[in-house]
Amino acid sequence: MSNELQPEKNNKDDVDLIVFFNLIGNTINKLLVFIKSIFVGIYGLFIALIRAIFINIKIILAVAVVAIIIGYVLDTQKEKVYYSEMFVVPKFQSKYELINSIKYYNSLIAVGDTEELISQFGINETEAKSLIGFEAEIGPESKNEQLESFNGFLKTLDSTTKTKITFEDYIDNRNIYTANVFLLRARSHNYKIFKKLEGGLSKSINNVFSDIEKKKRDSVLILEKENLELSLVEVRKMKDAYLDVLQKESEKNIVSSNLGSSLGFQVEKTETKEDQLLTKELDILKQLNGLKKELVVNDEIFEKISSFKEKGLLEDIWYKKYKIIFPLIALVLLALVGSFIKFYKHVVNYK
């Protein structure tokens, strides 16, 4: 009885496997047919587009040539644009005033306030009207500079928050206010104006707040310098005193050695700390040199890494050229008009 049931069970399992594999095969076939339909549709659209171009090639070429000619004429007649760039490192939080000043100047240019522009940059009315705008961007940074900026940012956070922020998150989410190096770009129709603009920008960055911050920094460094100089004087006095003791001990040891040898005992030499005092003196001198270097190197509100050139460079951006813009716009309009005409005929003739 059991032997008869066993083959029946095996046959049932074989049927289930066949059904399962058939389902998988049908699913794969449907997927392949769907993918094939996508490629066939894309190919059909491509052929339809090429066919439409071939049928209307004369109209397309005529429109494109006319648009290029009109764009070329407009390019030759429009006023040329020049630009110049400079890299600066704002210090003592002056980057906020820098960005604010850039926005202010662009607003003056937008409303045509030439009087204020003349006052800000010391230029004449013609030069003021030639200004197009200013831009401020994050300057180029090396990996080490980015890491230094990241470490400085971590110092402002508590220990719990530090563990939640990675270097990649910091780089991805920072804005222009977190930068240390800035690229400033000025654009004008006058290619000889940029040195005058540099003076105006330098004057605007030197604001009252940054001056106060610099004076605070200088006061703290000067106080530290005076304390280190006093410490240096004390250390040198102690060193001279120890050296004097050593001198006296050396003279005493000459007598003590003779006396000890005659009496049968040895006089011990007093231990001194001249090595520790010398190390301390060198350390103080190193700190003093660091303070002096800080006062000399960071003596300005901002540092110019590179300045505006005497003459600006001609701006040559392809997407701002009419001979490129006009043909593209003309072809898009032609395609839209052609599609509308076909749709109109289809609607009119529809039954």
Side-chain angles (χ1 to χ4, degrees), residues 16-38:
D16 291 339
L17 286 174
I18 292 171
V19 172
F20 176 71
F21 284 120
N22 286 336
L23 289 174
I24 293 177
N26 293 333
T27 303
I28 293 174
N29 288 333
K30 290 179 180 179
L31 180 61
L32 292 175
V33 170
F34 175 72
I35 295 174
K36 179 182 177 182
S37 65
I38 292 176

Side-chain angles (χ1 to χ4, degrees), residues 4-109:
E4 293 178 358
L5 293 175
Q6 189 70 30
E8 184 178 349
K9 184 178 180 182
N10 292 335
N11 291 334
K12 186 177 180 180
D13 291 340
D14 292 339
V15 171
D16 291 339
L17 286 174
I18 292 171
V19 172
F20 176 71
F21 284 120
N22 286 336
L23 289 174
I24 293 177
N26 293 333
T27 303
I28 293 174
N29 288 333
K30 290 179 180 179
L31 180 61
L32 292 175
V33 170
F34 175 72
I35 295 174
K36 179 182 177 182
S37 65
I38 292 176
F39 283 103
V40 169
I42 294 173
Y43 178 74
L45 289 175
F46 174 74
I47 293 298
L49 177 62
I50 297 298
R51 182 172 179 273
I53 292 174
F54 287 167
I55 292 174
N56 303 286
I57 188 66
K58 294 181 180 180
I59 298 174
I60 293 172
L61 288 176
V63 171
V65 170
V66 171
I68 291 173
I69 293 173
I70 295 174
Y72 180 79
V73 172
L74 291 177
D75 281 334
T76 57
Q77 292 181 350
K78 73 176 181 180
E79 198 170 2
K80 294 181 179 179
V81 177
Y82 302 91
Y83 72 95
S84 189
E85 297 176 341
M86 66 183 296
F87 292 94
V88 299
V89 181
K91 302 176 183 178
F92 306 104
Q93 304 301 322
S94 60
K95 58 185 174 183
Y96 299 100
E97 182 64 26
L98 169 63
I99 297 170
N100 189 46
S101 296
I102 293 295
K103 293 179 180 178
Y104 178 62
Y105 296 147
N106 287 333
S107 177
L108 293 176
I109 294 170

